Amino acid sequence: MQSKLFDLSGQTALVTGAACGLGLAFTEILSEHGARVAMLDIDAAALQRSAKRLRDQGRAVDEHVVDVGDRTRLRGVTDAVAKQGRLDIVFANAGISAGPGYKTAVGQIEAVQDEAWQRVLDINLTSVFVTLQAAAAPMKRQRSGRIIVVSSIAGIKSEAPVGYAYAATKAAINNLVRQAAMELAPFNIMVNAIAPGPFRTNIAGGRINQPEVEAMFAAMVPLGRIGEPDEIKGLALLLASPAASFLTGTVIPIDGGSTAA
Ligand SMILES: NC(=O)c1ccc[n+]([C@@H]2O[C@H](COP(=O)([O-])OP(=O)(O)OC[C@H]3O[C@@H](n4cnc5c(N)ncnc54)[C@H](O)[C@@H]3O)[C@@H](O)[C@H]2O)c1
């Protein structure tokens, strides 16, 4: 008999920032294991392309053009997805770079601009809270759910290549996860964070795909290379699946050993 440990059939999931990068990897693995996935993204064209490709493979995905910085729209879409039936799994994944870190002139403390700081707080912190808030209501009624927040190792330790607002927001959401995990534990809702090291995605305009930038990040990783989006799928599936029924309130690095160094 096949194990049901990683079976998501009949479950409904929602992923923010699902059109590309890690969010697309989460969507792929959840839908491969039987979940219906609501894909939310600000980039309508990329969202449509990715959703169509997955539907052509027989996956159950729906697309919703959403700027997670728009609280009303984010809440409205999350409520609408939940009202279609259930809301079992939510990935608060959408996030943006705050530009390069303090080793460049534009990343130093005195160069940080108010408007850029605020936008990163809105997307990387407030939108994560709003996603959590919108997910918690239907999950409390169901008395079950999984919320997975996508943080970064930059929220655990200092990371020279990232901007101040990025480091601050990722640290903030790690504690948001612990706090929410306590409130939601009696409702059988698990709240955890994934903290990736450098992965090959389009973040910061795909800067990591430039050979010299990739080499700089790879040199910081004990495994000697950056991660590929497919390599985040196992951990994502674990946290979303019945296999993780006693796992909550954690921040799990997936970083080729970087935080241990
Ligand atoms: N790639 C890495 O090295 C890395 C490392 C640590 C953490 N992360 C985190 O992983 C998450 C995903 O990033 P990624 O690397 O896949 O980046 P990415 O840029 O490849 O993908 C992010 C997706 O989010 C969408 N998005 C951006 N702003 C949005 C908004 N306001 N509303 C809705 N959607 C929006 C983008 O259109 C894109 O599809 C982020 O939270 C990021 O901070 C990434």
Side-chain angles (χ1 to χ4, degrees), residues 20 22 41-42 66-68 93 151 166 170 197 199 201-203:
C20 67
L22 303 184
D41 207 285
I42 195 173
V66 176
D67 174 353
V68 296
N93 164 72
S151 180
Y166 191 84
K170 294 301 184 180
F199 272 77
T201 68
N202 292 336
I203 200 161

Side-chain angles (χ1 to χ4, degrees), residues 224-247:
R225 62 178 179 83
I226 65 168
E228 302 297 334
D230 276 352
E231 295 184 279
I232 209 151
K233 289 180 174 176
L235 177 57
L237 177 62
L238 168 69
L239 292 175
S241 73
S245 53
F246 200 57
L247 208 173

